[in-house]
Amino acid sequence: YRGAFRSFTAPVLAIALALAASVATAATVYDVEDDFSASNPSGPWTFGIYADLAGPVPDTTAFTPFNNYSPDFLGTPIDGWNFGPIDPNISHNDSGAVYSNFGVTWGVNAVNVSPANGSEPYAGVRFTAPNTQVYILSSSFANVQDNIAKDVYVYKNNVQVDTFSLGATPHNYNAVSFPLAAGDVVDFVVSGSNNVALDARFQTEWHLADDFSLDSNPNGPWGYGTASANAGLPDTSTFAAFGTAE
């Protein structure tokens, strides 16, 4: 009986390991810093301003994308989007080194949001979900110009899901699950004056039970099958997918 149990568990473990490897290599990451470009939208990210509602709170239904891109913002190594000439803007440090000017610091590859002096008091970044699935959000917000408190808002499909006052201490989201349908939007909105550094990253997540299929193998990132044992351990190099479904 013990031998039979051992021969049964080895293939099962092999399946689990093979699936884990598949997920790790197939994950898609959308990072606002890495995806920043001379296009707006840039992939799933759009940079712009928001109108003001009574409250005051941002009106995410009234979002206007920036239309002016500069590869050397005000003669600096910073590239950015605005309406010209300066504020409001969203800028990006692609110089490869920390850069400071105008009382503002840009970390390497950092994206800074500046709503200051704009016709509307809110600027920010919109993420539009490319596909229907669960996304994992990791992000940080940091005050990079002064320690005056700034209000930051997070909206999903025009409904506020979080708000906080940002002072000297950064605010982080660590691996927060965001179920989104294709076309859903998440807005990261900054109010007040001066610059806030925003690093936002959405990573896709898959669920074996939800994605299980009898029609295809592999199905997306998942493959179903068996593997041989080697010295009592699963040998995932021998993984073979099942050929029929019942």
Side-chain angles (χ1 to χ4, degrees), residues 96-189:
V98 175
Y99 180 76
S100 295
N101 205 342
F102 316 112
V104 182
T105 297
W106 287 263
V108 176
N109 203 33
V111 169
N112 286 3
V113 179
S114 177
N117 306 315
S119 58
E120 302 292 353
Y122 304 98
V125 176
R126 169 169 288 184
F127 175 81
T128 303
N131 304 295
T132 299
Q133 59 191 116
V134 176
Y135 294 80
I136 303 300
L137 169 65
S138 298
S139 66
S140 66
F141 303 81
N143 192 329
V144 292
Q145 189 166 5
D146 55 44
N147 291 325
I148 299 174
K150 303 171 180 65
D151 292 328
V152 178
Y153 306 84
V154 181
Y155 280 72
K156 175 184 175 182
N157 292 335
N158 304 316
V159 176
Q160 187 181 119
V161 295
D162 196 14
T163 183
F164 53 89
S165 181
L166 184 67
T169 303
H171 186 93
N172 301 315
Y173 293 115
N174 297 311
V176 177
S177 292
F178 257 83
L180 298 173
D184 281 355
V185 296
V186 178
D187 291 285
F188 303 95
V189 188

Side-chain angles (χ1 to χ4, degrees), residues 46-125:
T46 308
F47 315 109
I49 62 170
Y50 302 81
D52 186 24
L53 281 176
V57 293
D59 181 2
T60 55
T61 67
F63 175 69
T64 305
F66 291 126
N67 59 14
N68 179 67
Y69 174 76
S70 174
D72 51 357
F73 207 57
L74 297 178
T76 71
I78 304 301
D79 62 329
W81 282 96
N82 64 4
F83 297 116
I86 304 177
D87 293 314
N89 68 75
I90 294 183
S91 56
H92 171 244
N93 179 12
D94 62 351
S95 70
V98 175
Y99 180 76
S100 295
N101 205 342
F102 316 112
V104 182
T105 297
W106 287 263
V108 176
N109 203 33
V111 169
N112 286 3
V113 179
S114 177
N117 306 315
S119 58
E120 302 292 353
Y122 304 98
V125 176

Side-chain angles (χ1 to χ4, degrees), residues 11 15 212 216-218 223-227 239-245:
I15 295 170
F212 190 84
S216 59
N217 186 21
Y224 322 113
T226 62
F239 179 79
F242 293 128
T244 58

